[in-house]
Amino acid sequence: MGKITQGSWVESANRPGNDFPIENLPYGTFRLSAPQQLARTGVAIGDQILDFTSVAEILGAEAIPAPLRQGDLNAFMAMGPSVRQSFRHQLTGWLGADASEASRLKAALVPQSDVQMQLPCRIGDYTDFYASIHHATAVGKLFRPDAPLLPNYKWVPIGYHGRGSSIGVSGQQIVRPTGQIKAAADGQPPEFGACRRLDIELEVGAFIGAENMLGQPVSMTNAEDHLFGLCILNDWSARDIQAWEYQPLGPFLAKNFASTISPWIVTMEALAPFRVPTQRPADDPPPLPYISSPEDRSQGGINMTLEFLLQTAKMRAAGQPPQQLSVSNLRYAYWTFAQMLTHHTSNGCNLQAGDLLGSGTMSGPKPSEAGSLLELTAGGKAPVMLANGETRTFLEDGDVVVLKAYCESPDAVRIGLGECVGWIQSALR
Ligand code: CA
């Protein structure tokens, strides 16, 4: 599916179905496996990385924007879209099939299998939204069958302030959290113990690039200029801790023990061919003017397939690959990232380069499109049957969760965001 790639001299980039053709060029930060190496930045191309430190050595320092030579992706992100776009043009020239620099730049390639990916940038603040109306309705139904959707949902992009310190990169080991859990019988004291309802949340993260000053809201017209790009996000959730603690102020320790992101940030330019109209039904109230624009309505959405796969310890021991449990799409978002960003700054709050906005669990309308085990198992009442005969309601120790995301369209070359992997470890004692 999709048209033929324009092609790169990096042959693995031209293989059909690969996540990183020349049309993608996502940014990441990595360390070479040799010890004491400083972090470096680069773009993924096929199964390789174009290492900016090496490019600067080969083509001269002026070839690479200074922050990228220094391994400081945040400072590059803050430079905004025009610098990013002209550097993308440069990169496309260097990596194109008939680039005159090909023979020299070969030495600037590093196999992805030889490096340790790091968090792509410093994440100062993390805000998680709740932008899938299908998720909000499904979860609301579990708690309030008569009124699943709260009356503010269609007016306010709901979010809460998460925590940046516990965000890790794909491959992260997730220690089962411990916390207060409500007693089975009303009136009994809660217990303090290991979470028994550990869950995933299938989300997309948006990184802030250009900053806004404190006290200066961003308008819908300019909102996309402040977005750098997207990653996959797993917002791990302890449902039993959450159920006891979240009222009246919302999520706290049930969420901030860990979040995992994919290592590559796919830029807004690479995502441009996959933009789609938003899906707000015509008979829903229109958004208030400050979070509304015709451009956003016609192309604020993104057609991005999202997959949730699980591999149990037993499957791994038997050499079985992860099994797909659900498939959803970012186009189901009721609120766009531009609306979330504009709303976030509407009180004057300043967003900084490297801040992360989570989409919220991106469930679709069908049960098979659920972005969490909470929804897939009807709140833990209907276990999922796995192909090897095992069942799951929530995650067990040794489980590996794999989230994938990619964009396909008849008019464009397929691009992918890679993978976001997390491995469940037993609770601390
Ligand atoms: Ca979430």
Side-chain angles (χ1 to χ4, degrees):
M1 194 168 161
K3 69 172 192 184
I4 301 302
T5 176
Q6 70 184 72
S8 169
W9 53 266
V10 183
E11 282 171 15
S12 60
N14 306 329
R15 289 180 199 142
N18 114 83
D19 280 346
F20 308 120
I22 193 169
E23 289 79 6
N24 194 345
L25 303 177
Y27 288 82
T29 297
F30 62 96
R31 279 177 207 277
L32 302 172
S33 25
Q36 288 109 32
Q37 287 279 356
L38 294 175
R40 297 174 171 218
T41 58
V43 285
I45 177 81
D47 59 8
Q48 305 287 310
I49 300 170
L50 184 72
D51 171 4
F52 293 148
T53 304
S54 297
V55 175
E57 285 163 12
I58 294 166
L59 298 183
E62 68 288 348
I64 300 289
L68 296 179
R69 294 200 301 270
Q70 294 148 5
D72 183 0
L73 193 52
N74 291 74
F76 177 71
M77 294 164 87
M79 294 166 95
S82 61
V83 171
R84 186 175 77 230
Q85 284 155 13
S86 58
F87 189 56
R88 178 179 174 82
H89 186 71
Q90 180 69 79
L91 287 170
T92 304
W94 288 339
L95 291 167
D98 38 16
S100 56
E101 295 86 354
S103 58
R104 295 163 73 200
L105 286 181
K106 237 170 212 166
L109 293 182
V110 187
Q112 288 178 32
S113 55
D114 282 3
V115 307
Q116 287 187 322
M117 295 306 298
Q118 313 287 299
L119 282 173
C121 60
R122 293 183 309 280
I123 302 171
D125 273 307
Y126 161 45
T127 303
D128 197 23
F129 283 88
Y130 199 47
S132 161
I133 196 169
H134 306 294
H135 172 72
T137 306
V139 171
K141 254 182 207 157
L142 294 173
F143 298 105
R144 299 174 302 275
D146 307 336
L149 206 62
L150 292 172
N152 60 357
Y153 189 86
K154 293 180 178 180
W155 298 98
V156 184
I158 304 290
Y160 70 95
H161 284 106
R163 189 155 180 93
S165 66
S166 52
I167 300 176
V169 75
S170 181
Q172 190 177 14
Q173 302 203 348
I174 307 300
V175 175
R176 180 177 296 275
T178 302
Q180 276 201 30
I181 297 164
K182 184 178 184 291
D186 282 342
Q188 294 299 308
E191 66 163 306
F192 184 83
C195 165
R196 290 190 290 263
R197 289 163 67 93
L198 183 57
D199 199 357
I200 73 130
E201 290 197 323
L202 176 59
E203 305 199 13
V204 175
F207 279 102
I208 300 301
E211 309 186 337
N212 65 302
M213 301 281 283
L214 182 61
Q216 293 185 5
V218 175
S219 70
M220 280 299 285
T221 317
N222 301 323
E224 294 243 351
D225 288 347
H226 292 264
L227 290 173
F228 182 81
L230 306 188
C231 68
I232 311 168
L233 167 65
N234 188 344
D235 183 37
W236 306 96
S237 298
R239 300 300 182 195
D240 40 7
I241 297 171
Q242 184 180 357
W244 175 236
E245 76 169 4
Y246 85 107
Q247 289 176 322
L249 288 181
F252 179 34
L253 300 180
K255 298 280 190 176
N256 70 6
F257 56 94
S259 312
T260 308
I261 61 171
S262 54
W264 297 106
I265 310 179
V266 173
T267 62
M268 301 315 287
E269 289 72 44
L271 295 163
F274 308 100
R275 303 306 294 259
V276 289
T278 57
Q279 293 201 341
R280 179 180 283 250
D283 51 355
D284 274 10
L288 293 178
Y290 81 101
I291 42 174
S292 179
S293 81
E295 295 75 21
D296 188 62
R297 192 163 177 80
S298 65
Q299 53 181 9
I302 300 173
N303 178 12
M304 179 189 292
T305 304
L306 307 171
E307 296 187 6
F308 163 30
L309 303 92
L310 179 73
Q311 186 190 48
T312 67
K314 213 170 164 183
M315 290 162 71
R316 199 161 48 256
Q320 292 161 346
Q323 179 179 338
Q324 188 181 83
L325 296 191
S326 67
V327 182
S328 187
N329 197 299
L330 180 58
R331 69 188 304 164
Y332 294 135
Y334 192 82
W335 299 104
T336 65
F337 279 118
Q339 288 173 313
M340 294 184 238
L341 186 150
T342 299
H343 180 67
H344 202 315
T345 66
S346 63
N347 64 351
C349 177
N350 53 326
L351 297 176
Q352 298 184 310
D355 284 357
L356 184 66
L357 308 184
S359 63
T361 310
M362 202 40 62
S363 303
K366 295 186 210 140
S368 62
E369 295 170 316
S372 67
L373 286 166
L374 184 72
E375 293 156 86
L376 279 174
T377 66
K381 293 194 188 76
V384 173
M385 178 69 75
L386 302 174
N388 69 352
E390 288 184 280
T391 60
R392 282 292 179 279
T393 48
F394 294 96
L395 297 171
E396 295 189 8
D397 295 349
D399 285 353
V400 168
V401 173
V402 181
L403 306 184
K404 295 184 185 181
Y406 51 88
C407 299
E408 288 178 330
S409 145
D411 309 317
V413 174
R414 175 197 186 279
I415 62 169
L417 283 81
E419 290 187 347
C420 177
V421 178
W423 185 5
I424 307 303
Q425 311 291 309
S426 55
L428 300 176
R429 289 167 202 281

